[in-house]
Amino acid sequence: MAVTDKFYDVVIVGAGVGGGAMANRLANAGARVLVVERGNYLPREADNWSVKAVFHDKKYTTQELWRDKSGNAFNPSTFYFVGGNSKFFGAATVRFRKEDFEVLEHEAGVSPAWPISYEDFAPYYDEAERLMGTHGTAGEDPIEPPRSGPYPHPAIGHEPEIEAIAKKLRSKGVQPFSLPIAIDRHEGGKCIRCATCDGFACKLGAKNDAEVRLVGPALKTGLVDLVLDTKVLRFLTDTSGKKVTGIEVEQDDQKNTIHGDIFISAAGAINSAALLLRSANQKHPNGLGNNSSDQLGRNYMAHNNTAMMAIHPFRKNGVTFQKSLCINDFYLSNNVRPYPLGNVQGLGKLQGGMLSANVPFIPEWLMDHFAKRSVDWWIMSEDLPDPENRITLDSDGTIRVSYTSNNLKAHQELVKHWGKIMRSLGYPLILTQKMDITVSMHQCGTARFGTDPATSVLDQYSRVWDLDNLYVVDASFLPSSTGFNPSLTIVAQAVRVSEHLIANVLRSTTAA
Ligand SMILES: Cc1cc2nc3c(=O)[nH]c(=O)nc-3n(C[C@H](O)[C@H](O)[C@H](O)COP(=O)(O)OP(=O)(O)OC[C@H]3O[C@@H](n4cnc5c(N)ncnc54)[C@H](O)[C@@H]3O)c2cc1C
Ligand code: SF4
């Protein structure tokens, strides 16, 4: 669709899980919505499941270059399509714990309290799980937060190799449980349970990503227009600087302006920060949302993530869909562990080519040999908000991600401890790889929400404190990264913000 001069109740930048969920809920309440997306639909094709296309040729990754804190250019693992990064996600749709909403003491410092309690947030998690079609088993996770009922779908189950590991773990006192997963794997569902899910897009449209579950159904209401291949350059404000009046967009090298009533930035945590910084004007010299707090772009977090291969030298691992098991035994402190370590979950089955793309000095045949005999894990620990970890724009407009990892001791302990457990289960060879700055998959925190305009960029309904009609609804709002995958929480906040807009903000003629 070409850029339009229609007037919309709500204009949303970005068609990822944040933008998609907003469009979905608002259109279902009768609002006229425009979604502006810089990418296009990701084609469903054989290459979706090709290790070479996805990991070596990086066929679907943006070509963009960002810079790190020293000014070195890097190519981020970010995807610009309808559905955003969720097109490639591992579909783990996990609630944060009750304790994540409270002050949590870590080895390296404090993870701050949220402006809302878990109890108040929980109903939005219910709706988010329904929207995403999550599979899971309630009551298995030893630190599961209270929930109102079962998951929308039963857990997808473990394949024999993983079931055997779960059994051995239980015999050692570890309490594994079914990782909540959003794929179309129930009776009549389209998922064939293949090995190329986590990190790949689904050729069958059976992964419950933002395109499939949120944007597609939103378009079916007839109230949502989607403009593709169109980059939003900046938000424009009125002369008072209190109200956004439009967005400046670029489509086919042409610049245009689109007008609306309410504006939502849902471009992802790094791009939303960059967009608000790029929208600086006389009234907002340091970017929109920075006047009161100077926190815009700061507190960038992305988790401490390590991929682990636990290798049995002789026995092949015949698993297909490996991402079904999760362990939270080390997530909170207790009387033997003075601080939280993090979460361990199954990783999509690694294949030799995926590894040699990142470790080119080890021959592919050797990595393939290991990958056929390994059980693979994703080990994830919280990184803490630090105002010096921040997104800024260089003078040539390039995004700079200044990031120094923190809370590493806890993460290293967890990696070491899990390696020890794997050895005790009969996997003597342990290979690990810590993710670096290019792996921005769990980016968050760059416009955190809060109760005090002096220390947060957004109010508790994700409205930019300094403006009447600008909201940020993507991973930017998270005040802490927690130790869990973020997408379900982004959807839950989008549902919450939508309900607030429908009840209190949208003109009464709009909301049904
Ligand atoms: C390989 C991989 C595996 C992952 N696995 C999991 C998992 O198992 N579980 C989980 O919870 N999370 C996972 N994640 C993370 C999850 O995908 C993200 O947290 C989530 O998708 C972020 O959603 P978002 O709405 O904040 O932003 P995004 O997904 O980044 O969406 C932003 C959208 O805005 C568009 N956009 C950006 N800038 C502009 C602009 N200027 N103008 C117009 N449009 C713009 C982008 O193209 C994109 O479509 C994974 C991510 C990756 C990459
Ligand atoms: S496991 Fe299912 S949802 Fe995932 S890529 Fe394969 S078919 Fe698609």
Side-chain angles (χ1 to χ4, degrees), residues 10-28 31-38 81-86 131-132 209-219 221 223-227 235 262-269 272 462 471-477 486-495 497-498 501:
V10 184
V11 175
I12 300 174
V13 182
V17 285
M22 288 300 293
N24 189 301
R25 301 328 292 150
L26 291 170
N28 273 295
R32 289 158 303 169
V33 178
L34 176 70
V35 181
V36 184
E37 167 56 49
R38 70 189 287 171
F81 292 100
V82 175
N85 281 297
S86 73
L131 276 171
M132 297 303 282
D209 58 42
E211 179 206 338
V212 170
R213 297 295 294 198
L214 305 172
V215 180
L219 291 172
T221 63
L223 288 171
V224 178
D225 286 340
L226 177 60
V227 178
F235 291 103
I262 291 170
F263 293 83
I264 315 280
S265 187
S272 273
S462 278
Y471 296 75
V472 182
V473 190
D474 53 27
S476 311
F477 85 98
S487 63
L488 190 77
T489 304
I490 303 169
V491 175
Q493 173 71 350
V495 172
V497 174
S498 306
L501 290 179

Side-chain angles (χ1 to χ4, degrees), residues 88-115:
F88 290 82
F89 82 158
T93 37
V94 188
R95 293 178 184 218
F96 293 171
R97 305 297 96 164
K98 179 175 156 43
E99 293 80 358
D100 289 320
F101 289 71
E102 299 158 8
V103 167
L104 203 51
E105 297 279 347
H106 282 260
E107 192 279 327
V110 167
S111 172
W114 287 36

Side-chain angles (χ1 to χ4, degrees), residues 162 165 308-311 317 322 373-377 427:
I162 301 302
I165 287 177
M308 175 185 284
M309 296 171 83
I311 302 162
N317 177 6
Q322 187 173 245
R373 289 156 182 83
S374 69
V375 179
D376 315 300
W377 302 97
Y427 298 88

Side-chain angles (χ1 to χ4, degrees), residues 401-438:
V401 183
S402 302
Y403 180 75
T404 306
S405 306
N406 61 41
N407 207 21
L408 278 172
K409 184 167 183 270
H411 183 61
Q412 285 154 359
E413 272 180 46
L414 182 57
V415 172
K416 200 169 155 200
H417 191 61
W418 194 246
K420 214 164 125 189
I421 291 181
M422 281 298 108
R423 278 193 202 92
S424 77
L425 259 51
Y427 298 88
L429 184 56
I430 303 293
L431 296 185
T432 59
Q433 189 182 3
K434 167 110 168 51
M435 299 301 127
D436 64 12
I437 193 166
T438 63

